[in-house]
């Protein structure tokens, strides 16, 4: 956790982005480090946890981080929390809370509320079309013999 917090401060002070850091650990060893670099890379997905996941997956050569844990300097936002689940990390440990982040100007409560809504009732205008055509890809996936399940 100390390394995640150290990264959050060091990279923020270096002007890379917001005050967030994360590390991924496997068997007591750090295999992925990440920090927020949204503003320096002009990438809204460049959050600490996502960056750490990317580095750990590259290090291990897999998209499945089972057997690993993530330490984050702050409770993850909805995007990062989703990525943690998708990566199959065994455990999340965080320091500051999302309320602490909100008090510093990083308020994700709106997104937390929006993702739980049906797509028809979200603030973001959304529409659905060509669903029959799109479902064909899923039908083909079900019978694909050389797929890599995930």
């Amino acid at each position: 956790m100390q390394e995640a917090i150290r990264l959050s401060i060091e990279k923020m002070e270096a002007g890379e982005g917001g005050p967030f850091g994360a590390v991924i650990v496997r068997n007591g060893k750090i295999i992925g480090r990440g920090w927020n670099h949204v503003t320096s890379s002009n990438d809204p997905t460049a959050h600490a946890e996502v960056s750490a996941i990317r580095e750990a997956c590259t290090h291990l050569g897999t998209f499945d981080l089972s057997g690993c844990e993530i330490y984050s300097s702050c409770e993850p936002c909805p995007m990062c929390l989703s990525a943690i689940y998708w990566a199959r990390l065994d455990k999340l440990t965080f320091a500051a809370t999302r309320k602490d982040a909100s008090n510093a100007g990083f308020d994700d409560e709106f997104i937390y509320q929006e993702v739980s809504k049906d797509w028809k009732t979200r603030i973001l205008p959304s529409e659905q079309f060509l669903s029959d055509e799109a479902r064909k890809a899923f039908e083909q996936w079900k019978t694909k013999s050389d797929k890599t399940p995930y």
Side-chain angles (χ1 to χ4, degrees):
M1 183 61 79
Q2 289 177 330
E3 176 65 359
I5 294 168
R6 185 192 71 75
L7 284 168
S8 75
I9 295 168
E10 175 187 310
K11 300 301 182 175
M12 175 202 52
E13 289 180 346
E16 296 213 15
F20 303 95
V23 296
I24 295 179
V25 175
R26 183 176 189 194
N27 298 325
K29 182 180 176 186
I30 294 175
I31 60 163
R33 287 178 170 79
W35 53 88
N36 181 289
H37 53 99
V38 169
T39 56
S40 61
S41 65
N42 294 319
D43 178 355
T45 69
H47 288 203
E49 296 88 346
V50 170
S51 298
I53 288 168
R54 289 174 179 159
E55 185 173 285
C57 287
T58 298
H59 176 80
L60 295 178
T62 182
F63 57 84
D64 185 342
L65 296 178
S66 298
C68 301
E69 299 180 10
I70 187 166
Y71 294 84
S72 179
S73 65
C74 186
E75 182 178 1
C77 74
M79 177 185 69
C80 292
L81 185 59
S82 296
I84 289 166
Y85 277 105
W86 277 110
R88 297 182 180 92
L89 287 154
D90 288 358
K91 185 178 180 184
L92 160 66
T93 303
F94 61 89
T97 67
R98 69 193 209 198
K99 183 170 172 53
D100 296 323
S102 176
N103 289 337
F106 300 95
D107 190 357
D108 296 324
E109 194 57 39
F110 168 75
I111 300 172
Y112 279 104
Q113 292 174 11
E114 282 289 292
V115 297
S116 67
K117 294 178 182 177
D118 182 89
W119 67 269
K120 296 173 191 167
T121 62
R122 291 184 186 137
I123 298 290
L124 178 67
S126 303
E127 63 179 90
Q128 180 185 23
F129 68 99
L130 297 179
S131 58
D132 290 338
E133 289 84 347
R135 279 193 285 274
K136 291 176 186 174
F138 294 125
E139 292 305 317
Q140 290 177 7
W141 174 258
K142 290 179 189 178
T143 60
K144 186 172 170 43
S145 62
D146 63 341
K147 65 185 172 191
T148 302
Y150 65 95

